[in-house]
Structures are given as structure tokens and as C-alpha cells.
Amino acid sequence: SLAQPLPRDGLKIVISDFLWQDPPPDTIRSLMKDGCALIMICVLCQEEIKPALGGIFSLSDSEKGGRLDIEIAQTERDAYADRISTHLDLWKETAVKYGAIFQPVKAEDIISGEISDVFASGAIRA
């Protein structure tokens, strides 16, 4: 959530992974409540969008400092890929419903300078 309200009648650009538990409608309504236009740029790496690797992984929570060792099999990867796709589709569908823009971008594309997806919506121009 936002620490301070943003100015009214402006443009809000939110850059995030959007891996939030809050329902997209609640978040989008909150961000647009002052009549602002809203552009959401979702940055995830390829491995987050479609994990290719399996095996035993050590996960670190950078926000809370925890650590978890888990084994990820093909069934878990497939289930995760379905859930992340559904999650991102929900954000995009909700954005369209409220007149906002939701644009996924791969982190690797930003690093390589290939960010045409950010401009594909037409909301932002170089």
C-alpha cells in the first residue's frame, strides 16, 4: 500500500511484481480513487513467469529475513505456471474493467534494453 496519497487528477505509474495477496479490484480502485489515470508495469523475470528448473532450492525472504528449503518437481512447476498466468490475467482483466493499463515486462528485456512491451500499449511513448 502507499505511504502517502498521490496528487488528484494526475497519472499514477506503478512498477511492481504485483505478487500481492490483495485482490486486484481493491488495489486498482484505491489507486484510481482520486480520478487519476493508472498505468501498472509488472516486472517479473522469465524464471518467475515460466520456471524451467526443478530440484531442491533454498528460498530467502528478503522482506522478513526467513529461509525455506524446498524441492520443486514438474507437477509443482506446472501448477505454479498455471497460477501465475491466472494471477497476471486477473490483473490485466481488472485493469481493463477499470480503464487502467496493466503491462507485463520481463526483467531480462529491461536489462538488455528491449522494452518495446512497455510502449506497446501506447500509454507511454519514447
Side-chain angles (χ1 to χ4, degrees):
S1 68
L2 299 172
Q4 299 177 0
L6 295 173
R8 303 183 114 210
D9 302 324
L11 170 64
K12 294 178 185 175
I13 300 174
V14 179
I15 301 172
S16 174
D17 61 12
F18 290 91
L19 298 179
W20 305 338
Q21 292 183 4
D22 296 338
D26 294 351
T27 301
I28 291 173
R29 276 195 308 267
S30 175
L31 288 167
M32 296 180 78
K33 71 180 174 187
D34 294 328
C36 292
L38 176 62
I39 299 172
M40 297 172 288
I41 300 173
C42 177
V43 180
L44 295 170
C45 70
Q46 179 62 35
E47 189 67 20
E48 290 172 310
I49 297 167
K50 189 173 183 181
L53 301 175
I56 297 174
F57 291 90
S58 180
L59 305 176
S60 297
D61 184 336
S62 61
E63 295 172 357
K64 296 181 182 175
R67 180 183 157 143
L68 176 66
D69 293 324
I70 61 170
E71 183 173 359
I72 301 174
Q74 182 68 40
T75 54
E76 285 88 11
R77 285 194 314 263
D78 292 346
Y80 169 83
D82 288 343
R83 284 192 305 272
I84 194 74
S85 178
T86 299
H87 181 77
L88 296 176
D89 287 347
L90 179 59
W91 275 98
K92 189 165 199 149
E93 291 165 9
T94 305
V96 168
K97 178 180 176 182
Y98 287 96
I101 294 171
F102 182 83
Q103 183 62 57
V105 179
K106 284 189 237 159
E108 293 87 350
D109 292 345
I110 294 170
I111 292 167
S112 71
E114 178 52 49
I115 56 171
S116 60
D117 283 351
V118 174
F119 304 106
S121 67
I124 301 175
R125 295 193 176 114

